[in-house]
Amino acid sequence: MKLSKYIFFWKEITPKPFMTFDGCAQYLTSPSAPYLIAEAYRITNTPLPVLIVCVRDPADQAMSWWKYENNAIAWGEGMGLKGHNAELRGAEYPPKTIENAVVFSRGEKISKLYLNAENIFLMDSKRNLSSERKRQCILPDWAMTWPGGQLTGIGKNGNFVENINRYENVFRQAAKAKHYGDNNTETTHNVNVLPLKYLSNNGLLKSFLVQVLEALNQRQRCKHGIDFASALAAYKSSETHIQSVHRNSSATPGMSYGSVDSDCISHLKQLYVEQSKSLKGFCQERNIKWLQ
């Protein structure tokens, strides 16, 4: 169903403010996702979305992803799915240890795959950025959301600042081309950053959501007369507690690392020292409280 039909239903049938959400662990790291998202909004002549990125300690992110993906592999094998597509992922996939996975994902082969996947859309967007022609965006099999396999993201998912800045650049270019939102696109933040530990602090989480909703209301993104002001005021004055729900228990603060020994955890922390430092500095620049 097209977005316009949803808007018609909620505006004409049940005239209430509404928002739609879409979330995925792949979007931030994917070399093609920011271009595809921006293009989807461009060709439908729809204002750019409000983006929320949930961040955490990069080493914890790597460990969580390692555990999650290996559980998924075990589940698949339990369902009778054997082997991997060597043509797409390579004979060395999947890596046998988390340290090998980090080295594998940061290696020349995988880095080149990510760069080539991004260049498909980077070069195309430069040629057609101001064009109103609807282009067909096709993602080749080798340029999947995580080129080389999902475990190749393990050394890249924690590059939060790099990935956030990539989205900011793509969406600023899209905003310039379509004259979306604020006139000063160079200083407008399209990505709202949410530290994971806010999910365990109702006060901080509510404060964050209020800021996002206020920005959404002030920017008047919706062209269909839907007003969030009354709903926002009601939410701000409510005592509602937001319950945090995770599909993966290893994604919660204070997570257990399972069978991985303490030496491995210490090694991971060292591998992600620069990313961790960069993320904390980034949050400080944006006045985002970082909880230890």
Side-chain angles (χ1 to χ4, degrees), residues 31-191:
S32 54
Y35 301 97
L36 289 170
I37 294 171
E39 176 64 7
Y41 280 81
R42 186 190 75 83
I43 64 176
T44 56
N45 198 33
T46 305
L48 293 171
V50 172
L51 303 176
I52 297 175
V53 170
C54 190
V55 300
R56 68 187 304 182
D57 180 82
D60 288 348
Q61 167 67 25
M63 186 63 69
S64 176
W65 193 243
W66 171 255
K67 183 177 181 180
Y68 180 79
E69 279 304 307
N70 276 279
N71 286 340
I73 291 172
W75 174 83
E77 291 176 347
M79 296 287 290
L81 302 175
K82 302 293 183 181
H84 297 270
N85 189 327
E87 183 178 349
L88 290 177
R89 294 179 173 85
E92 63 271 43
Y93 191 91
K96 302 303 180 185
T97 68
I98 188 170
E99 292 96 334
N100 288 342
V102 173
V103 173
F104 174 67
S105 66
R106 292 178 175 178
E108 182 178 357
K109 175 183 176 180
I110 299 303
S111 296
K112 187 175 181 180
L113 278 176
Y114 273 70
L115 180 61
N116 289 343
E118 182 173 7
N119 280 339
I120 293 173
F121 301 96
L122 181 62
M123 300 306 297
D124 197 39
S125 64
K126 285 182 177 179
R127 289 194 300 269
N128 297 282
L129 193 59
S130 61
S131 172
E132 296 302 317
R133 179 172 60 90
K134 291 186 177 182
R135 293 181 285 116
Q136 186 178 17
C137 295
I138 300 176
L139 192 65
D141 290 343
W142 64 267
M144 62 182 76
T145 48
W146 275 307
Q150 294 198 171
L151 280 173
T152 64
I154 204 166
K156 301 180 182 297
N157 292 345
N159 297 339
F160 289 113
V161 177
E162 177 184 328
N163 290 325
I164 290 170
N165 285 335
R166 185 160 51 90
Y167 265 83
E168 292 284 17
N169 291 333
V170 171
F171 275 67
R172 281 172 184 159
Q173 290 300 315
K176 284 181 179 180
K178 294 293 294 183
H179 307 292
Y180 286 142
D182 301 313
N183 292 327
N184 193 353
T185 58
E186 292 299 327
T187 58
T188 299
H189 290 153
N190 296 288
V191 180

